[in-house]
Amino acid sequence: MSSILLIEQALNGLQFGVMLFLMAAGLTLIFGVMGLINLAHGSLFMIGAFAAATVAAATGSFLLALAASLAAAAVAGVIVEVVVIRRLYDRDHLDQVLATFALILIFSEGTRWVFGSFPLFLDRPDWLSGSVMLPFGIRYSLYRLAIILVGLAVAAALFLMISRTRIGIQIRAGENDREMIGALGVNISLLYTLVFALGAALAGFAGALIGAIQSVQVGMGEPVLILAFVVIVIGGIGSIKGAFIGSILVGMTDTLGRSLLPALFGLFMDPAAATSVGASLASMSIYILMAGVLLFRPKGLFGGT
Amino acid sequence: MRRETILNFSLLGLLFLFPLWAWVADEPFLITLATRAVIFAIAGVGLNLALGFGGLVSFGHALFFGLGGYAMGILAHHAQTYVPMFTWPFVIEGTTSMPIIWLTAIAVSALVALGVGALSLRTSGVYFIMITLAFAQMFYYFAISWSAYGGEDGLSIYVRNEFPGLNTMDPIQFYAICYVILLVMLFFVFRLSRSSFGLMLGAARQNEDRVQALGQVPYRMYLTAFVISGAITGLAGALFADLNRFVSPVMFDWHTSGEIMIFVILGGVGRVLGPVAGAALFILLEHSLGGVSDYWHIYLGAILLGVVLFARGGLFGLIAGREVAHD
């Protein structure tokens, strides 16, 4: 395998990791601040993608579609938080898992009801299609490069928001002591709704960006959701930094594993068997990574003790 | 008699009489429906041991359900195509004998549960939920990419496996097998929950520190419960695959984990017969709502949401009250 192909795969891994971060950041924030495990986060991802596909089909504008994905997911997040999630903060994790699993059933079937079972398509805009020349003679898809840059920018903005702004201070305080910041006059239930809406908007945004690479269909959020779980388990639940590092690790491992492992096994096996064994192992690689991390750090890389 | 006891016996009686009636009325479809309920109940009984009695919220029991299914699929596939599974270092042939398949399913599930449990139980709480989920997904993706046994398409077998002295293709006879297994498992779990191990496990769920102070090791008890729990669910998986004569990666899917959990919750967590009530209710809902709308999962979701938010304790909690509160 040539080094150019390797760099291209590494960029793909980075792009995948950055997208995972948008999902994982919301999950880990919601868990860190409210102590809630939210399985329905994948549904918000899906809602973002469907909103983007619908608006893009109606207006033809990709930027409007992105804005719609943010808005739709945030609004869905607020509704869900106010109607259901709010009642779950004091419950144990089992109840949270079940209730949010029920939400997935409702969202998935509801979307199938409205949009049908056939996938929708979200085209990337003309000004982002084609490829771009990077240093060292590497050609790379402009759209994927844009995703990486946008994702990194969002990550940076999120870090700044958490560490520098007033709302970030409240979020961090909420992670440490919920009763205390309530006593200090912060409107807790508003803060919770805001955090949930923020997480939802990030998930919906990721859904729209990914929707232009894959097809937009019911259930598209679930594989991403489970990977995002792996990410925050590796990174340590509640830690944004952990979510970022975990995302990049998982994205890289998955993408490079898929391209490298079959080639690696091809060195000492016949090609057909190498492809099959390599593909099987590659699909398991991130879970092996997770098991390895847990063996040494049961609370994840950046989890508290 | 306590209301829970009455409910227990009427449930078992119903599961005995209903297929009998369906058999007399010549409604094989209803017998198959009841068989599904009973097999789901066995899977739920398995999960209930970890979830209800041990307080281990495993969101990955599809893993064991699928392993049992694939144990059946692979053994029967080799037996029916006359290709030995291994030729080295010694020849291992496939088999179509149900008892051997069951034992294999139990052994494989228990072994994997030991590995997965040993790793996952290093953590607790929300980490445990996510890790069990992730391990099940790992096997899901592995099954999809494992083309030797059908990959994504799954593996079908032509004839149901054999049980000495019975015709397993006859729905009522296959039902009888599953029903008896359910009774055995219920008795086993009932005895286990009353044994010193079961009592200690319940104590560990309620207060780990005190159990530790008594000189017991909660980790070991959890692991034992998790292994037994996985083995029972694996057995259910083998039966389920035999019922459909088909096994596919869907059995490993996380929706399956969610559904097994729903059986336990709908019925009532920590009640010996809770999963039986839950599975029966689930099949009833699936059958009746499935007729109303293609999108019956919406209603299932709404009902589940209602149970979680307003009727904790499930069906048993509603009917039998909280007189034997487990927490």
Side-chain angles (χ1 to χ4, degrees):
Chain A
M1 181 172 288
S2 67
S3 60
I4 288 187
L5 208 59
L6 194 66
I7 294 174
E8 199 180 293
Q9 290 297 335
L11 281 173
N12 281 342
L14 186 63
Q15 177 255 312
F16 188 39
V18 163
M19 281 301 97
L20 277 179
F21 173 71
L22 292 186
M23 278 291 277
L27 270 180
T28 206
L29 263 184
I30 289 168
F31 185 84
V33 179
M34 287 96 100
L36 177 98
I37 167 169
N38 179 25
L39 296 182
H41 213 64
S43 299
L44 299 166
F45 179 87
M46 177 184 77
I47 287 172
F50 271 94
T54 310
V55 169
T59 64
S61 159
F62 189 70
L63 289 178
L64 272 182
L66 284 185
S69 75
L70 278 167
V75 168
V78 169
I79 293 174
V80 166
E81 202 271 345
V82 170
V83 176
V84 178
I85 301 285
R86 202 169 264 199
R87 297 166 213 276
L88 295 171
Y89 293 142
D90 299 332
R91 300 290 191 86
D92 56 22
H93 293 315
L94 175 61
D95 284 352
Q96 298 173 348
V97 164
L98 286 163
T100 49
F101 185 73
L103 286 177
I104 293 183
L105 294 179
I106 295 172
F107 273 124
S108 292
E109 289 293 305
T111 312
R112 209 191 304 275
W113 201 352
V114 175
F115 290 94
S117 292
F118 291 103
L120 302 181
F121 291 97
L122 176 61
D123 291 326
R124 28 187 117 159
D126 291 334
W127 44 275
L128 277 179
S129 55
S131 56
V132 64
M133 224 35 195
L134 295 178
F136 312 111
I138 301 159
R139 287 191 80 80
Y140 195 65
S141 153
L142 182 60
Y143 184 73
R144 283 177 189 268
L145 190 69
I147 286 189
I148 295 177
L149 295 178
V150 168
L152 289 178
V154 171
L158 203 59
F159 276 118
L160 279 180
M161 191 197 91
I162 300 277
S163 59
R164 293 272 187 273
T165 64
R166 187 161 190 85
I167 184 124
I169 293 171
Q170 290 178 352
I171 288 175
R172 278 182 291 142
E175 285 179 1
N176 283 325
D177 194 333
R178 288 183 229 179
E179 281 84 24
M180 199 59 192
I181 68 160
L184 290 173
V186 174
N187 184 344
I188 288 239
S189 73
L190 183 67
L191 179 68
Y192 283 4
T193 310
L194 273 179
V195 170
F196 199 87
L198 174 68
L202 288 177
F205 188 59
L209 289 177
I210 290 293
I213 295 180
Q214 304 166 349
S215 57
V216 176
Q217 57 188 338
V218 173
M220 65 184 289
E222 295 174 3
V224 191
L225 172 79
I226 290 163
L227 286 182
F229 277 152
V230 174
V231 163
I232 62 176
V233 165
I234 288 178
I237 300 176
S239 158
I240 293 273
K241 189 164 89 182
F244 187 73
I245 306 246
S247 301
I248 304 298
L249 261 178
V250 167
M252 287 288 186
T253 310
D254 190 64
T255 311
L256 290 180
R258 271 172 218 288
S259 59
L260 288 186
L261 280 177
L264 193 70
F265 281 97
L267 294 179
F268 52 89
M269 290 168 88
D270 67 277
T275 313
S276 132
V277 173
S280 307
L281 258 185
S283 61
M284 298 168 74
S285 56
I286 52 165
Y287 302 101
I288 298 170
L289 173 74
M290 178 189 76
V293 168
L294 286 176
L295 219 48
F296 298 103
R297 303 287 296 260
K299 293 272 176 191
L301 294 175
F302 295 90
T305 43
Chain B
M1 244 196 298
R2 292 207 333 263
R3 282 161 94 179
E4 182 173 352
T5 320
I6 300 175
L7 190 57
N8 285 347
F9 281 108
S10 35
L11 255 175
L12 292 178
L14 195 70
L15 282 175
F16 184 77
L17 292 177
F18 175 74
L20 218 56
W21 167 80
W23 181 52
V24 173
D26 196 24
E27 297 266 14
F29 173 69
L30 291 182
I31 302 180
T32 306
L33 220 54
T35 316
R36 268 168 63 94
V38 165
I39 293 173
F40 283 162
I42 300 172
V45 167
L47 177 63
N48 197 25
L49 188 64
L51 181 72
F53 297 108
L56 307 170
V57 185
S58 162
F59 200 16
H61 259 52
L63 166 52
F64 309 115
F65 201 62
L67 280 176
Y70 269 89
M72 185 303 280
I74 291 172
L75 284 173
H77 173 73
H78 281 284
Q80 292 186 355
T81 51
Y82 302 104
V83 181
M85 290 176 67
F86 295 104
T87 48
W88 189 89
F90 39 81
V91 177
I92 299 180
E93 305 272 359
T95 177
T96 56
S97 156
M98 277 193 190
I100 299 179
I101 289 174
W102 297 340
L103 285 180
T104 314
I106 290 175
V108 170
S109 309
L111 213 63
V112 173
L114 187 67
V116 168
L119 266 176
S120 313
L121 284 168
R122 290 172 58 84
T123 66
S124 59
V126 71
Y127 281 89
F128 184 79
I129 300 175
M130 292 183 187
I131 287 160
T132 45
L133 170 66
F135 274 119
Q137 279 308 105
M138 172 170 116
F139 277 80
Y140 173 70
Y141 288 118
F142 181 73
I144 281 185
S145 57
W146 200 17
S147 49
Y149 293 112
E152 203 160 356
D153 299 329
L155 199 61
S156 39
I157 59 165
Y158 307 107
V159 195
R160 205 168 276 158
N161 294 299
E162 292 147 14
F163 191 86
L166 289 177
N167 172 16
T168 52
M169 286 306 280
D170 181 12
I172 193 76
Q173 295 193 32
F174 186 64
Y175 179 81
I177 293 175
C178 298
Y179 186 69
V180 169
I181 291 183
L182 174 66
L183 290 185
V184 172
M185 289 304 142
L186 284 172
F187 182 72
F188 173 69
V189 168
F190 177 73
R191 295 293 303 176
L192 198 72
S193 69
R194 297 285 187 278
S195 69
S196 62
F197 168 76
L199 294 174
M200 209 39 116
L201 181 67
R205 186 192 73 231
Q206 289 169 29
N207 193 328
E208 213 168 274
D209 293 343
R210 285 192 188 171
V211 168
Q212 204 149 19
L214 287 172
Q216 300 283 334
V217 186
Y219 178 84
R220 248 181 257 158
M221 289 190 288
Y222 289 145
L223 190 55
T224 313
F226 192 74
V227 168
I228 301 174
S229 161
I232 297 177
T233 304
L235 176 61
L239 290 171
F240 188 66
D242 236 333
L243 171 69
N244 301 325
R245 282 173 284 148
F246 175 65
V247 52
S248 76
V250 173
M251 284 182 77
F252 282 120
D253 190 73
W254 71 303
H255 282 263
T256 310
S257 293
E259 279 175 6
I260 300 176
M261 217 178 218
I262 292 177
F263 307 149
V264 178
I265 305 306
L266 278 184
V269 186
R271 316 263 184 164
V272 175
L273 265 87
V276 183
L281 198 62
F282 182 86
I283 295 290
L284 203 68
L285 286 175
E286 182 183 56
H287 187 60
S288 53
L289 293 178
V292 176
S293 158
D294 286 343
Y295 306 103
W296 75 279
H297 272 112
I298 293 188
Y299 303 106
L300 177 69
I303 290 171
L304 181 61
L305 203 56
V307 169
V308 174
L309 290 181
F310 306 112
R312 310 167 76 185
L315 197 65
F316 265 88
L318 279 180
I319 297 177
R322 298 193 64 90
E323 52 191 289
V324 281
H326 277 268
D327 43 10

